[in-house]
Amino acid sequence: MGNEARSKGVSRRRFGAIYFAHRSVALGQRARRLIGAHAKYLERHPGMLVAVVGHRDAAETAAQPARLGKARAAAVRDCLESLGVHESRMTTASFGDRMPRYAGSGAALRAANRRVDIIYFGASVAGGSPPAARKRAGRIRR
């Protein structure tokens, strides 16, 4: 499926980030395929919880800095729900433009920062019980 990087009980299973067009929250075909891969993984691992974290690039201005990131995270969460992932297994957050994947102002760099990351938590990754994993997942809210 992909590589896992483990850090402090967190797994970033890499199916790839879900990318968005400038000032958009629309999910394209590729994004839906990636979200489908996440949903299948979660179906096979019922103890896993996820944080769905939205980002925007620095050029995307909004009245509230994190609003676009929140809307992107909500779009991915809603798609996961439509594919059978229960809402109790997900939390959403937005970092706005505070955690860019790449620094810089070029178009390609900005495009790489318009994304949603799905971060996995759970007994099979973090050790411990699902309630403990749920507590760790809740700490990521911003």
Side-chain angles (χ1 to χ4, degrees), residues 73-92:
V76 172
R77 179 204 58 220
D78 293 347
C79 189
L80 282 166
E81 272 190 77
S82 76
L83 295 170
V85 179
H86 195 272
E87 66 179 312
S88 66
R89 297 179 66 193
M90 297 182 279
T91 186
T92 58

Side-chain angles (χ1 to χ4, degrees), residues 43-65:
E43 183 180 330
R44 290 190 310 270
H45 298 87
M48 299 295 285
L49 304 172
V50 293
V52 181
V53 183
H55 303 270
R56 67 179 183 90
D57 73 57
E60 294 177 312
T61 58
Q64 299 172 339

Side-chain angles (χ1 to χ4, degrees), residues 8-112:
K8 296 184 182 178
V10 176
S11 171
R12 293 180 185 263
R13 178 161 283 284
R14 288 296 184 189
F15 296 104
I18 296 131
Y19 294 99
F20 292 83
H22 184 67
R23 294 187 180 163
S24 175
V25 298
L27 296 170
Q29 229 175 23
R30 182 170 186 226
R32 290 183 185 280
R33 280 194 306 270
L34 287 170
I35 295 167
H38 284 284
K40 287 178 184 175
Y41 179 82
L42 288 165
E43 183 180 330
R44 290 190 310 270
H45 298 87
M48 299 295 285
L49 304 172
V50 293
V52 181
V53 183
H55 303 270
R56 67 179 183 90
D57 73 57
E60 294 177 312
T61 58
Q64 299 172 339
R67 188 176 75 203
L68 192 53
K70 281 182 185 178
R72 288 175 174 156
V76 172
R77 179 204 58 220
D78 293 347
C79 189
L80 282 166
E81 272 190 77
S82 76
L83 295 170
V85 179
H86 195 272
E87 66 179 312
S88 66
R89 297 179 66 193
M90 297 182 279
T91 186
T92 58
S94 174
F95 289 116
D97 64 352
R98 292 173 294 177
M99 292 187 67
R101 179 160 289 157
Y102 300 104
S105 60
L109 297 175
R110 286 193 311 269

